[in-house]
Amino acid sequence: MWYEKLWGWARETVTITVPGVVGVFALTYVLVLAIQAGEAGAAWVQAVGSVVAIAVAIQVARTSQQHARGLWATEAAERDYAHAVRLFTVMWEAKMAVEQLRVQASENINRPEEVEATWGEVRGRPRKQSVLLASHISFFQRIMDRAMHNLDDDLCPVRHQIAGTFRFNLSVLINFFESRVGSIPSTELLGQLQTVEKSFKAGIDKLKEHDSRLAEIAL
């Protein structure tokens, strides 16, 4: 029947609440009284209509404010995540570069000296190569520039602390590199690389702990 279809549509599309039902019955009762009371009833209808209009305006304003607050919260969460990803990416690049240098330094340190024959004379000649070049220092300096200038607009105190520790450790590493560029790898260099790599990893882990969404990034 038609009323069954109407009732099904109402259940799916209309939110029925107790105050709403009471309001509908009250409004219907006022309209019936107005019809029976003639001109006096018309005045009552006008008064009730004004009150209803004010109530509707208040509800619309409240709904608009709630919607605006929801949008603001969503945008704020997106900005916060963007800041976290930016710091995470910088730290991850620095850690991977240090890890690569550490592996190269370890291979060069453990590489035995090779014997080379020259003009019939056998003499020992170290074939170990330097892993610290000016290009490496330039790379880490560019990372430092990004860490110094691209993270200042982040207002999160936790990330500020992580970024500050990262910049300090990175500056120590760059100064260490600058004093040993072109030198043969040593246990001192290897130890410095291992220490810095651990500090970068600890910072990344702390950043992930603060924002679990970073664990979803595939790098």
Side-chain angles (χ1 to χ4, degrees):
M1 300 294 293
W2 63 270
Y3 54 85
E4 293 179 349
K5 296 181 179 179
L6 180 61
W7 175 245
W9 174 85
R11 286 190 302 174
E12 294 178 357
T13 58
V14 178
T15 301
I16 301 176
T17 62
V18 173
V21 173
V22 172
V24 170
F25 277 106
L27 183 59
T28 304
Y29 178 71
V30 170
L31 290 175
V32 171
L33 292 179
I35 294 173
Q36 294 177 352
E39 294 182 359
W44 275 101
V45 170
Q46 184 177 2
V48 172
S50 300
V51 173
V52 172
I54 294 173
V56 170
I58 294 174
Q59 182 61 32
V60 169
R62 182 179 303 174
T63 303
S64 299
Q65 290 178 354
Q66 293 175 349
H67 181 67
R69 284 196 295 266
L71 290 178
W72 182 88
T74 301
E75 293 175 357
E78 292 177 352
R79 287 194 300 268
D80 184 80
Y81 181 62
H83 287 307
V85 170
R86 186 167 55 183
L87 176 58
F88 176 82
T89 303
V90 172
M91 296 180 66
W92 182 85
E93 290 178 1
K95 175 187 172 297
M96 294 303 297
V98 171
E99 180 181 349
Q100 184 178 4
L101 285 177
R102 176 184 58 77
V103 173
Q104 294 178 1
S106 178
E107 291 176 351
N108 277 270
I109 290 174
N110 297 326
R111 181 183 300 167
E113 293 185 351
E114 298 178 2
V115 177
E116 180 180 358
T118 304
W119 298 100
E121 177 185 358
V122 178
R123 59 191 181 91
R125 179 183 178 185
R127 300 298 297 276
K128 297 177 181 179
Q129 301 176 354
S130 171
V131 296
L132 284 181
L133 305 176
S135 59
H136 295 136
I137 298 177
S138 177
F139 172 79
F140 284 104
Q141 286 175 338
R142 289 195 299 271
I143 292 182
M144 175 62 79
D145 290 339
R146 290 166 58 192
M148 292 295 294
H149 300 102
N150 295 344
L151 305 175
D152 292 338
D153 57 342
D154 189 358
L155 302 179
C156 176
V158 175
R159 287 195 295 268
H160 263 295
Q161 181 182 5
I162 296 174
T165 302
F166 169 71
R167 286 192 289 255
F168 173 78
N169 291 328
L170 183 58
S171 64
V172 171
L173 181 66
I174 292 175
N175 291 332
F176 182 86
F177 282 173
E178 289 176 342
S179 63
R180 290 164 176 79
V181 61
S183 61
I184 299 299
S186 62
T187 54
E188 181 185 13
L189 170 62
L190 183 60
Q192 182 69 21
L193 291 172
Q194 290 173 340
T195 300
V196 174
E197 183 182 355
K198 289 180 180 179
S199 69
F200 289 171
K201 182 179 184 301
I204 292 174
D205 292 340
K206 187 175 181 180
L207 192 60
K208 287 183 177 180
E209 182 180 353
H210 178 256
D211 193 335
S212 59
R213 294 173 298 179
L214 296 174
E216 302 174 359
I217 300 179
L219 293 176

